[in-house]
Amino acid sequence: MSQFLLVLVSGVAGGAVYGLIGLGLVIIYRATDVVNFAMASLATLGLYVAVSLRDRGVATVLGVLAAITITVVAGLLVRETVIRPLGQGQLFSALVLTMGVSLVAESAAGSIWGDQPKAFPSLVEGTVRWSGAALPAQSLLTIAVAAVAMALVGYLFGRTTLGSAMRAVAESADTARVVGLGAQRLARIAWALGLGLAALGACLYAPRAGLVPTMLSAPLFRAFAGIFLGGLTSMYGAVIGGLTVGVLDNLAANYVDASLRDTFVFSFTVLVLLVRPQGMFGTRTFQRV
């Protein structure tokens, strides 16, 4: 039982990271109809800066804040210079461009900091004893921080005027513009929020995975699995889908075969989508043909 508890907590911690990345993806997609593949690579650049600052004696917490800030600024620059000139409705073109930006960011990280793995410091050390299991304090912190961040996002969109305006833009940018909402300003806020959540998830994930230019490739695709599992346009679905993927991934790695963990997760996702194509929390849409 103690081993199962350890596996479960580790899975929830991983799922919390996938949920944060997935939530950031959904917020950006709903606001601007852009699937931002570059999000993970930009967050990785921020992590490298944080490690460089740590090597110069800067506190880890300040390095994490710097990583989040750099990710947000770089992402907004990408939007203004690469994505926004495309105009509305260019979903495929924007998708390809963000993939290209991702490759450029990974190449830049490798050229500047090298391809050898680097250690990223844990925010907390040690373990916590619970029910006979020694639970890593970093995993518990990951769960707590992700829960607080998700709760704040839920409050923002559910209880504030800004959140209501962002939801209005997500439903119809043209309608929001007619009633006087600044669609571009709200889109920038959505991008900043989504990128910040992804960077936070990256900072929580890096201590357990080590830092290489492509370290967030696997979490990004697992976050996508969580998004499709929960529902492409549902923020709650992105969180619950990410948590589900994290738990299933860890259970498969420990009790089935570590080499089949992704096969297990994506097979489960495909089975759910066959039964419910819109995902667990998505809304089915109908189109007249």
Side-chain angles (χ1 to χ4, degrees), residues 151-171:
L152 290 175
V153 171
Y155 179 82
L156 171 66
F157 280 92
R159 298 298 183 89
T160 67
T161 303
L162 176 61
S164 299
M166 292 174 70
R167 285 190 286 112
V169 171
E171 293 298 329

Side-chain angles (χ1 to χ4, degrees), residues 27 36 40 86 132 135 154 158-159 161 177 189 218 233 241 261 277:
I27 289 173
N36 189 2
L86 290 176
L135 306 177
R159 298 298 183 89
T161 303
R177 192 179 301 110
I189 295 173
T233 59
R261 58 196 307 172

